[in-house]
Amino acid sequence: MARSLQQPSHRRRNKFPAVLATATALALAGTGLALTAGGANAAVGNLVTNGGFDSGLSGWTCTGNTSTVSSPVHSGSGALAATPGAGDTAECTQTVSVLPNTAYSLNGWVQGPYVYLGARGTGGTDPSTWSAQSAWNQLNTSFTTGASTTSVTLYVHGWYGQATYNADDIQLIGPGGTASPTPSASATSASPSASASPTKSASPSASASPSQSASPSASSSPSPSGSATTTPPNTGLPKHVLTGYWQNFDNNSTVQKLGAVQSAYDIIAVSFADATTTQGAISFTLDPALASKLGGYTDAQFKADIAAKHAAGKKVVLSIGGQNGAISVGNATAATNFANSAYSLIQSYGFDGIDVDLENGVDPTYMSQALHSLQSKVGSGFILTMAPETIGMYSTAGAYFQLALNTKDILTVVNTQFYNSGGMNGCDGKVYTQGTIDFITAQVCTHIQGGLRPDQVGIGVPASTKAAGGGYVNSTVVNNALDCLATGNHCGSFVPPAKWPTIRGAMTWSTNWDANNGNDFSNNVGAFVHAMQ
C-alpha cells in the first residue's frame, strides 16, 4: 500500500506496490509512483515471447526432436511437442530481460511424462518444478532475482528416453528489464542441474519434485470443493467481516481520529508500524503532522479510541510494512525481536494483533516463526491479517503464499490487493484484467485451491479511484463478486468451480479514502457483507 509522494515520510499507503501494471497510473499523481514500460519503470506483464507456441518455435532455442503441433494444444493454434532421446531432454530455452532484486512468477501448461519448467541464472535459488500427468496441468513456480541479475533463462524439457511431452502458454509475470539478452543455445544447458533433477541414468524420483516449501503440504491442501482441514481460531469476529486501513499520516485524503473510523469496519488496520535499529523489531508513533492536523491527537486519546472500538465489538490491528516498509525478519534473532517488540506494542496500545503488508520481500520461514511466537504470547484471541500484492499470491510457490500456508493455523484472513497489478491468470489458466469481477473471483479461486480455507480469504480493493493507480471497482462489483463466490450468483464470465459461503469478506485501502468518497465502500459493501448468511 502506498502513500502520497507529497508526504516526505517513510510511512505510506495508497496501496502502490513497487511495480505497477500500467503507465496510466502516472496520471494519478499524488497517490504513488507508477512504472512505465522500459527499465526500472517497466510494466508488469508476461515477458515470454511466443509462450503459446502459436508462431512455431520463434523466440525459443531448442535441442533434439522438438517441433510445434496444432493438436493437442492447451489454447490457441499451437503447442510444443518434444520427444527426448537417450542422451537429450528435448529442451527449449528462452532468455528474458529482467530487473534486479525483483520477484517473478513462472507458469506454463504441460502434459506428458516428466515435464520440467524452471529458470536459470536468477542470481538466487533457481526454481524448478515438474509433473508427470497425461492431461494438461499447470506448473507454477517463482523466484527473486539477485542484485546484479538483468536476464534469466527459462526452460522447459522432458526426461531422457521418455515419451513425447507437450507445453503451452508459458508465462513469466513481472516487470521487464532494459538489457538485450543473448539467447543461450548451448546444448549443455539442456540438462538440469543435479539439484533440480535426478541423475541421468534414472527416472525422476521424489527428490526431483519441487521442495515441500514450494507447495502446500498434504495436511493443508484443500479438498476439490475447497473444504478445510483446520478449524478457525476463536477470535470473536463475525462470520463475515469488513476490514479497513486507517492512515497514520496525511496524504490529502480525509484525516480521521481512530475513533471516527466508520462503524461498518469490523477490523481496523493501523498503518503503519516502524522499523527500528534492532533487526526485526518494530515500534509505533502517532504521526506528529497528523496529530497536529487533528487538533492535537495524543497517545492517550488514541489508546482510548482503541478501547472504544473494542467496546463496540471491533478489532484493531497494527499493520507492518506497506510499500516503503523496511521491516525484515530473516533469521531466528530477528523473529524473536519482532515477536517481543510487537507484543510490547500490543500490551501498550491494546492492539488485537498484526497485519502483514510487507511489499519488499518476506521470509516465510522466519516470519511464520515470529508470528507463531507472538500468537503464543497473546493467546487465542490473536488476529492475524495479511494484504499481499497479487503477484505474492499468484502461486503456492510464492513466498507470501507460503507464509499464509505456514500460518494457516492462526491466520484470520488474507485480503489480497486486487489492484495495481494488470492482467493475471486465474485458477482456470485464463488471463483476466484488473478492475473486473472475473479478475477478483478467479484470483480468489486460486487462493482457495492453493490451500487456504474460504473463511481465510477476502477481497482487497481501493476505496476510490484516488486510492490506487488501477483496478478500482465500484461497490456493486465488490458485492457481486462476494455473492458469486458465496452462492454462485451474479458471476461474470468466470464461474468458480465450487460455492464458498464462508468467504470472509472485503477490505479497502483506506477508511480515509472511503470517507473522502462519501463512505460508499463502508455503507454499501459493509451492509452487504453483514447481511451475508
Side-chain angles (χ1 to χ4, degrees):
M1 309 221 183
R3 73 162 299 183
S4 169
L5 296 180
Q6 298 173 359
Q7 304 300 317
S9 166
H10 65 281
R11 293 191 293 274
R12 35 37 72 101
R13 214 194 239 244
N14 275 6
K15 270 276 189 190
F16 272 62
V19 290
L20 296 184
T22 61
T24 57
L26 197 58
L28 297 167
T31 58
L33 177 61
L35 300 181
T36 56
N41 294 331
V44 171
N46 180 22
L47 305 181
V48 179
T49 299
N50 188 30
F53 297 95
D54 295 330
S55 300
L57 296 177
S58 176
W60 296 91
T61 299
C62 301
T63 66
N65 186 4
T66 52
S67 63
T68 57
V69 293
S70 58
S71 179
V73 300
H74 175 255
S75 72
S77 59
L80 174 67
T83 306
D88 177 69
T89 61
E91 180 180 75
C92 288
T93 64
Q94 183 173 140
T95 303
V96 178
S97 178
V98 294
L99 295 177
N101 296 320
T102 303
Y104 291 86
S105 291
L106 174 63
N107 68 83
W109 287 86
V110 300
Q111 66 175 13
Y114 309 121
V115 191
Y116 293 78
L117 179 69
R120 303 186 184 102
T122 63
T125 301
D126 289 345
S128 177
T129 183
W130 69 282
S131 69
Q133 300 181 30
S134 59
W136 286 107
N137 62 104
Q138 190 179 39
L139 295 176
N140 292 276
T141 188
S142 64
F143 59 91
T144 299
T145 53
S148 60
T149 301
T150 58
S151 67
V152 298
T153 298
L154 312 179
Y155 66 82
V156 59
H157 66 76
W159 197 249
Y160 301 97
Q162 301 298 311
T164 299
Y165 73 89
N166 299 105
D168 203 358
D169 299 331
I170 296 175
Q171 295 190 103
L172 180 67
I173 304 298
T178 58
S180 299
T182 301
S184 174
S186 171
T188 59
S189 67
S191 299
S193 65
S195 62
S197 306
T199 60
K200 178 178 175 179
S201 61
S203 296
S205 64
S207 63
S209 64
S211 66
Q212 186 101 4
S213 63
S215 59
S217 63
S219 63
S220 64
S221 297
S223 68
S225 64
S227 61
T229 58
T230 60
T231 56
N234 182 17
T235 58
L237 285 165
K239 181 179 179 181
H240 303 287
V241 298
L242 198 72
T243 302
Y245 285 81
W246 174 80
Q247 297 177 188
N248 182 35
F249 51 84
D250 173 23
N251 65 345
N252 296 322
S253 182
T254 300
V255 295
Q256 297 176 312
K257 293 182 178 180
L258 190 76
V261 169
Q262 300 87 325
S263 62
Y265 290 104
D266 303 289
I267 302 175
I268 303 167
V270 172
S271 313
F272 294 97
D274 300 306
T276 74
T277 55
T278 301
Q279 185 182 24
I282 61 173
S283 64
F284 176 76
T285 305
L286 280 174
D287 183 78
L290 174 67
S292 176
K293 194 159 188 177
L294 290 170
Y297 196 30
T298 66
D299 253 22
Q301 291 172 325
F302 178 70
K303 292 176 182 179
D305 281 347
I306 293 177
K309 288 297 182 183
H310 287 162
K314 312 301 181 181
K315 304 294 183 180
V316 182
V317 296
L318 178 60
S319 184
I320 61 169
Q323 178 181 295
N324 298 335
I327 296 166
S328 177
V329 179
N331 55 54
T333 299
T336 298
N337 292 339
F338 176 86
N340 289 341
S341 59
Y343 184 55
S344 177
L345 292 172
I346 286 172
Q347 289 181 303
S348 175
Y349 286 92
F351 296 122
D352 298 286
I354 290 292
D355 170 73
V356 182
D357 183 23
L358 296 171
E359 299 178 9
N360 295 291
V362 60
D363 186 311
T365 299
Y366 290 107
M367 194 68 225
S368 171
Q369 178 180 316
L371 292 168
H372 276 102
S373 176
L374 178 59
Q375 189 273 342
S376 68
K377 296 174 183 291
V378 175
S380 60
F382 178 71
I383 305 292
L384 174 59
T385 64
M386 297 184 186
E389 298 163 288
T390 50
I391 197 169
M393 296 293 291
Y394 191 65
S395 81
T396 55
Y400 226 121
F401 211 137
Q402 290 178 41
L403 176 62
L405 293 170
N406 289 350
T407 57
K408 183 176 176 179
D409 57 321
I410 60 172
L411 177 63
T412 307
V413 62
V414 174
N415 294 300
T416 301
Q417 303 174 35
F418 293 128
Y419 48 99
N420 291 341
S421 56
M424 302 284 283
N425 280 69
C427 66
D428 58 353
K430 296 180 181 179
V431 176
Y432 295 100
T433 303
Q434 68 173 358
T436 64
I437 185 174
D438 290 332
F439 181 86
I440 294 171
T441 54
Q443 291 291 313
V444 167
C445 174
T446 297
H447 303 164
I448 295 173
Q449 288 188 343
L452 295 178
R453 298 191 311 266
D455 67 273
Q456 292 178 310
V457 181
I459 292 171
V461 295
S464 72
T465 56
K466 298 178 181 179
Y472 169 76
V473 293
N474 63 41
S475 54
T476 300
V477 173
V478 179
N479 293 345
N480 286 344
L482 288 169
D483 199 29
C484 172
L485 293 163
T487 70
N489 297 316
H490 295 104
C491 298
S493 62
F494 171 78
V495 178
K499 298 174 184 177
W500 299 301
T502 58
I503 194 76
R504 200 60 195 249
M507 170 276 281
T508 197
W509 173 260
S510 60
T511 64
N512 306 76
W513 285 114
D514 182 26
N516 187 263
N517 197 37
N519 297 319
D520 174 73
F521 184 87
S522 54
N523 286 342
N524 296 319
V525 179
F528 185 88
V529 166
H530 296 142
M532 293 176 69
Q533 300 299 312

